[in-house]
Amino acid sequence: MPTTSLDPRINRMALATDVTPSEKPPLDQFGTWEVFVQARDNKPPEHAGIVHAPDAEMAFLFAKEQYSRRGRGCVGLAVVPTDAVWVSAYVEGDQNAYDALPPAGPAAGASEAYVVFHLQKRGKQHQFAGMVEAADPPAAAHAARKTLGAEVPLNVWIAPAAAMHASDEEDRDFWTTLPEKKYRDATAYKTTDKLKAFQARQGG
Amino acid sequence: MNHPALKDLLYHLADDLLILGHRNAEWTGLGPILEEDIAFASMAQDKVGQSWALYKLLHDLGEPDPDQVAFRREAGAFRCCHLVELPIGAYEFSLMRHFLFDTALLLRFRALQSSSYVPLAQLARKFTGEVKYHDLHGRTWIKQLGNATVAARTRLQAALDEALPWALGVFEAPPREAEIIGEGLFTGEALLQAAWEERVRDILQKTQLALPDFSTITPAYGGRAGRHTEHLAPLLDEMSEVFRIEPDGEW
């Protein structure tokens, strides 16, 4: 086919439409884990990002260096498989994600502990809000609405406590030296200052 | 202050950490997966940082400053063991070396917490947490791969068999060790080795790897006396290449 345009969006308009999509091959990679970092004792653990890993222990190993290798401090770290996280509907503005919950279903099964995370503001991270006991994640969301709903979150994550793999209290010393590792921050090298001083010397 | 036995003790550990830190950093950008690449490079950086802190203690004892000591000595002046000098090899070798070395390092830092040389005891307390993670990293990987596929276990077993004689070289006693133990600076290499063998055995027992009989292995000694493998000099050349261009440069 002769090229009619260099703009890929134009070229895509002429794509064949009678193609049947082939079946997607299974992913040849590890599953993902959500990572939560607690920077200080008086701050809640906060979502930091994801890692790929074959199991919880490996996810923890990777998360530690991925998300707490620099910064002012860290006192604890936890990972949970992404597919163990139940996610509520997102709402906007001053709406409450708990108001958008579907009605509670019939109570069923034994109850277990769930960890609840709230997104308070778009562009921020989900933060630990509290724990609830419930039979399943939707029921946990309704339980959380009663005890934690006053926070008016834009989105709620709920994960079984049993699926979380967290650092022990005695492992806080993993991060003893973290505040000193300023050499991992580009700003610590003060390159702009050095460049300006160099330019001043060249000019003078 | 001139205290040759104490300086030996500090140089052995600092040189081990600097050279292994440099070696492990050679994996930067080449690690098996992104997450591991970052973790391994990060720990390599920790080791270089620990060596710097130990060179600083030596500087306080009258030795040249850390940069001079790290970048301007010839191979024969280094006191590192042979294990840390060896090329990185395939990843399973680097991982096995990391596991064997850091298991010893954690036990060493724990023992050094009660050193009679207070600045060293303080430093050991400060770095134990860092090394606890390094140790966790090493043994978690060994448990993972040591219970994985035949291909993984075969490669890991070969790496273990290859690394062990070198790993035992970590415990080569320094010439003035009687003084080191007598003054309570450190509990000594023999005690450390016994604790290390027990811990390594415990961890390997949780895998499908064959347990080594440590008593039948000839340790690779010589490093503590300044005799090194052919791999150390080229490493030092490369490590000090930038420093030598501008020895007074500030970074």
Side-chain angles (χ1 to χ4, degrees):
Chain A
M1 193 184 78
T3 305
T4 54
S5 169
L6 293 175
D7 186 336
R9 288 167 299 179
I10 301 288
N11 290 335
R12 270 203 298 273
M13 292 169 73
L15 283 177
T17 51
D18 56 350
V19 181
T20 29
S22 58
E23 200 170 311
K24 221 174 139 196
L27 291 177
D28 180 25
Q29 53 184 288
F30 298 134
T32 58
W33 299 70
E34 303 300 321
V35 180
F36 299 89
V37 169
Q38 184 171 14
R40 285 195 293 279
D41 280 318
N42 58 2
K43 287 190 73 179
E46 193 173 285
H47 185 239
I50 62 157
V51 289
H52 295 88
D55 64 18
E57 288 182 353
M58 297 293 286
F60 181 88
L61 281 190
F62 294 154
K64 193 264 175 187
E65 283 310 305
Q66 218 80 187
Y67 295 108
S68 65
R69 66 185 291 278
R70 58 185 169 207
R72 277 179 298 171
C74 181
V75 295
L77 186 85
V79 293
V80 66
T82 302
D83 57 16
V85 181
W86 178 92
V87 183
S88 81
Y90 278 85
V91 298
E92 297 295 342
D94 53 6
Q95 293 174 302
N96 188 338
Y98 285 116
D99 292 340
L101 290 179
S111 81
E112 62 172 314
Y114 285 91
V115 188
V116 183
F117 297 92
H118 285 168
L119 178 68
Q120 291 298 123
K121 205 175 164 193
R122 287 286 199 168
K124 297 286 184 190
Q125 302 295 329
H126 285 75
Q127 287 184 337
F128 172 81
M131 310 270 299
V132 292
E133 294 274 336
D136 56 34
H142 281 280
R145 180 184 197 173
K146 288 187 195 125
T147 53
L148 309 166
E151 283 195 9
V152 195
L154 297 174
N155 186 251
V156 180
W157 286 356
I158 288 177
M164 308 268 313
H165 181 78
S167 53
D168 292 332
E169 185 63 21
E170 63 181 41
D171 290 333
R172 288 168 67 112
D173 58 357
F174 280 167
W175 297 281
T176 305
T177 53
L178 178 58
E180 290 178 24
K181 295 177 185 176
K182 295 210 167 45
Y183 52 80
R184 286 181 179 163
D185 290 306
T187 48
Y189 292 87
K190 301 198 183 338
T191 40
T192 312
D193 295 351
K194 284 175 185 165
L195 191 61
K196 278 182 184 157
F198 175 75
Q199 284 168 332
R201 281 201 304 276
Q202 296 295 97
Chain B
M1 180 166 127
N2 195 24
H3 191 323
L6 173 59
K7 286 183 183 176
D8 281 352
L9 182 69
L10 296 173
Y11 265 119
H12 294 177
L13 184 52
D15 288 352
D16 277 359
L17 288 165
L18 175 67
I19 301 304
L20 188 56
H22 185 80
R23 271 292 181 233
N24 286 348
E26 290 176 24
W27 279 108
T28 309
L30 307 171
I33 59 168
L34 175 69
E35 285 87 345
E36 173 64 1
D37 190 305
I38 292 174
F40 211 61
S42 223
M43 291 186 294
Q45 212 174 27
D46 287 347
K47 285 186 166 58
V48 174
Q50 290 162 12
S51 78
W52 183 83
L54 287 159
Y55 289 136
K56 198 84 180 11
L57 289 191
L58 281 159
H59 187 43
D60 296 340
L61 293 170
E63 296 294 292
D65 81 68
D67 280 359
Q68 301 292 326
V69 168
F71 297 127
R72 301 200 94 153
R73 278 181 301 159
E74 297 295 329
F78 274 78
R79 292 291 176 267
C80 53
C81 61
H82 294 176
L83 176 72
V84 299
E85 302 167 9
L86 303 175
I88 56 175
Y91 201 69
E92 67 269 19
F93 178 77
S94 281
L95 202 56
M96 184 56 78
R97 164 166 60 185
H98 159 68
F99 160 65
L100 295 172
F101 181 86
D102 283 60
T103 302
L105 185 63
L106 178 61
L107 298 170
R108 189 183 295 273
F109 270 131
R110 282 192 175 145
L112 287 173
Q113 288 188 9
S114 26
S115 172
S116 60
Y117 187 55
V118 175
L120 179 58
Q122 285 170 338
L123 206 135
R125 277 193 284 277
K126 175 177 162 181
F127 285 126
T128 296
E130 224 170 64
V131 178
K132 256 173 70 181
Y133 170 73
H134 296 198
D135 169 82
L136 176 71
H137 178 276
R139 62 187 159 87
T140 305
W141 262 108
I142 296 300
K143 199 173 96 187
Q144 182 81 20
L145 293 179
N147 289 302
T149 60
V150 175
R153 286 176 353 234
T154 309
R155 288 172 63 171
L156 206 60
Q157 183 74 55
L160 173 65
D161 297 343
E162 188 191 343
L164 268 178
W166 306 99
L168 291 177
V170 170
F171 310 105
E172 177 183 356
R176 288 173 277 254
E177 198 186 38
E179 209 177 315
I180 289 173
I181 297 171
E183 290 185 26
L185 295 169
F186 176 55
T187 43
E189 300 297 328
L191 275 183
L192 179 65
Q193 182 173 340
W196 174 85
E197 285 180 8
E198 195 187 326
R199 190 173 166 92
V200 166
R201 207 177 282 126
D202 281 352
I203 293 163
L204 291 180
Q205 256 159 8
K206 297 189 184 96
T207 71
Q208 295 173 52
L209 299 176
L211 281 176
D213 177 2
F214 295 111
S215 63
T216 61
I217 302 165
T218 310
Y221 286 157
R224 308 302 186 204
R227 293 192 306 278
H228 295 285
T229 65
E230 81 237 39
H231 307 294
L232 182 60
L235 179 149
L236 295 177
D237 283 347
E238 189 184 272
M239 188 171 73
S240 58
E241 201 178 352
V242 175
F243 181 85
R244 276 183 282 118
I245 296 170
E246 189 70 57
D248 302 319
E250 238 184 84
W251 298 88

